[in-house]
Amino acid sequence: QVQLVESGGGLVQAGGSLRLSCAASGRTFNNYAMGWLRQAPGKEREFVAGINWSGGITSYLDSVKGRFTISRDNAKNTVYLQMNSLKPEDTAVYYCARSQSGRYLHLADFGSWGQGTQVTVSS
């Protein structure tokens, strides 16, 4: 069973930046596509960004395209989410997730996730 531990969340003003990190346990990290999900208060969890096993292909929720960048370092078993130009509507708990299907485009593609890290963007 994989263990995913997120870090890097916090409180930031609108227009600011944060970088989330996710450390994964196990020796098969680079066999899996990874992603970031988020859940805002009172809302369903949603897909934010995904990345294939090598890091060469990425996908994003339309509302974060051009502002967020997902990347990974397979040597460190770590996936990142760089978030720029943050908006109050980005406020949510952000979860690192591992693909269960090999795909990384939708919420249903992910079967394991961490405890989450809170991101709060003030206006």
Side-chain angles (χ1 to χ4, degrees), residues 31-91:
N31 290 349
Y32 292 90
M34 299 292 294
W36 288 93
L37 316 174
R38 69 185 180 186
Q39 187 165 17
K43 295 189 176 182
E44 296 288 322
R45 190 169 297 189
E46 65 178 352
F47 166 82
V48 176
I51 190 167
N52 76 327
W53 67 273
S54 69
I57 304 173
T58 57
S59 61
Y60 296 95
L61 178 69
D62 282 348
S63 62
V64 308
K65 283 180 181 177
R67 299 189 297 122
F68 290 12
T69 302
I70 187 171
S71 61
R72 65 191 295 165
D73 185 336
N74 286 343
K76 295 182 178 180
N77 279 20
T78 302
V79 62
Y80 305 97
L81 186 67
Q82 178 66 44
M83 305 185 295
N84 298 329
S85 302
L86 282 160
K87 303 176 180 180
E89 51 263 43
D90 295 318
T91 294

Side-chain angles (χ1 to χ4, degrees), residues 2-9 18-26 29-30 32-37 49-51 69-83 94-99 110 112-117 119:
V2 66
Q3 185 175 15
L4 303 169
V5 180
E6 304 94 338
S7 61
L18 283 174
R19 189 193 195 202
L20 306 184
S21 298
C22 170
S25 64
F29 176 75
N30 60 354
Y32 292 90
M34 299 292 294
W36 288 93
L37 316 174
I51 190 167
T69 302
I70 187 171
S71 61
R72 65 191 295 165
D73 185 336
N74 286 343
K76 295 182 178 180
N77 279 20
T78 302
V79 62
Y80 305 97
L81 186 67
Q82 178 66 44
M83 305 185 295
Y94 283 72
Y95 299 89
C96 174
R98 190 178 78 173
S99 173
F110 299 93
S112 302
W113 46 82
Q115 294 298 307
T117 185
V119 171

